[in-house]
Amino acid sequence: MALELDELDLPHRGSTYRLAGGAPEWAITRGGTLLGHLVIKSPAGEEGEPVYTTRTLDGGEGNVFGTDWEQIVKAYLNDVDPEIAAPTTGESGASQ
């Protein structure tokens, strides 16, 4: 699914993130703080849809890419936003 808006708010894990820019690159921010970028890796993948990935603040490419830009951004945010707590598994340790 192609991202056709230049700006949008994206709710995720209790925060609202902003994507702003336009093809081929959108800045990802929370409260005015730049967290990275969503970029088009390829304008037309195997099924004719754009392929997206992320770019970190230091210019490195993210480790997830595909056509579902929203899930790619959310996965990226889980890795880079310090306000998102690490998920807990509910396990308290190994039993013996």
Side-chain angles (χ1 to χ4, degrees):
M1 78 183 169
L3 177 57
E4 297 176 357
L5 300 172
D6 290 341
E7 291 188 31
L8 66 100
D9 290 333
L10 179 66
H12 179 58
R13 294 188 146 195
S15 292
T16 299
Y17 299 88
R18 184 106 173 121
L19 275 71
E25 181 176 311
W26 294 262
I28 305 167
T29 60
R30 179 185 38 75
T33 300
L34 180 63
L35 299 170
H37 295 87
L38 173 69
V39 296
I40 295 178
K41 183 178 178 95
S42 173
E46 290 181 22
E47 297 178 15
E49 291 285 323
V51 176
Y52 299 92
T53 190
T54 53
R55 192 176 68 241
T56 60
L57 293 176
D58 65 3
E61 186 174 315
N63 58 1
V64 178
F65 64 91
T67 58
D68 189 343
W69 63 266
E70 185 172 349
Q71 293 305 314
I72 291 166
V73 170
K74 288 178 178 181
Y76 176 76
L77 291 169
N78 289 343
D79 287 342
V80 302
D81 189 352
E83 289 207 1
I84 295 178
T88 59
T89 60
E91 297 176 12
S92 59
S95 59
Q96 298 190 0

